[in-house]
């Protein structure tokens, strides 16, 4: 599956589960390594770096920003192989 198709389905699933949330696609040219998506729900936020597979290459600074933002809030790499676990953790975090 192409990354863009996986990302679009993931956004749709998040919005279906959390209908009042805001999902933003971040500009990859603004700050290299910032995760692809930011999700806001009530007073919480999370970021997701979307990959087409578990072995897809990481761009410079992606690991740094995912780790840093996970300490601030919630941040993960998500790909088809871990999608269900990450989605469940994301929903648990944002609904808590």
């Amino acid at each position: 599956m192409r990354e863009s198709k996986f990302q679009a389905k993931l956004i749709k699933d998040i919005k279906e589960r959390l209908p009042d949330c805001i999902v933003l696609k971040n500009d990859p040219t603004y700050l290299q390594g910032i995760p692809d998506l930011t999700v806001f729900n009530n007073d919480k936020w999370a970021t997701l770096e979307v990959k087409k597979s578990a072995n897809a290459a990481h761009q410079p600074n992606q690991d740094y920003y995912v780790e840093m933002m996970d300490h601030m809030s919630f941040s993960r790499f998500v790909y088809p192989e871990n999608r269900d676990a990450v989605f469940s953790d994301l929903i648990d975090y944002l609904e808590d």
Side-chain angles (χ1 to χ4, degrees), residues 64-89:
Y64 171 78
Y65 282 116
V66 168
E67 184 177 335
M68 181 179 76
M69 291 180 175
D70 193 45
H71 288 294
M72 294 175 170
S73 183
F74 178 100
S75 188
R76 299 286 188 281
F77 285 92
V78 60
Y79 35 85
E81 297 91 335
N82 75 349
R83 184 254 181 234
D84 292 342
V86 170
F87 185 80
S88 178
D89 290 347

Side-chain angles (χ1 to χ4, degrees), residues 28-54:
T29 64
Y30 179 68
L31 188 57
Q32 184 182 38
I34 289 295
D36 296 319
L37 304 175
T38 303
V39 183
F40 298 95
N41 192 58
N42 297 320
D43 62 343
K44 294 188 177 178
W45 61 273
T47 62
L48 298 171
E49 175 57 40
V50 181
K51 295 292 184 187
K52 67 179 177 179
S53 70

Side-chain angles (χ1 to χ4, degrees), residues 6-61:
F6 176 61
Q7 184 181 92
K9 172 81 167 100
L10 182 62
I11 292 169
K12 181 179 178 239
D13 292 345
I14 292 168
K15 288 182 175 184
E16 283 179 2
R17 184 64 189 268
L18 300 170
D20 294 329
C21 78
I22 298 169
V23 180
L24 298 179
K25 291 175 73 170
N26 297 317
D27 179 358
T29 64
Y30 179 68
L31 188 57
Q32 184 182 38
I34 289 295
D36 296 319
L37 304 175
T38 303
V39 183
F40 298 95
N41 192 58
N42 297 320
D43 62 343
K44 294 188 177 178
W45 61 273
T47 62
L48 298 171
E49 175 57 40
V50 181
K51 295 292 184 187
K52 67 179 177 179
S53 70
N55 59 0
H58 291 198
Q59 298 300 313
N61 299 326

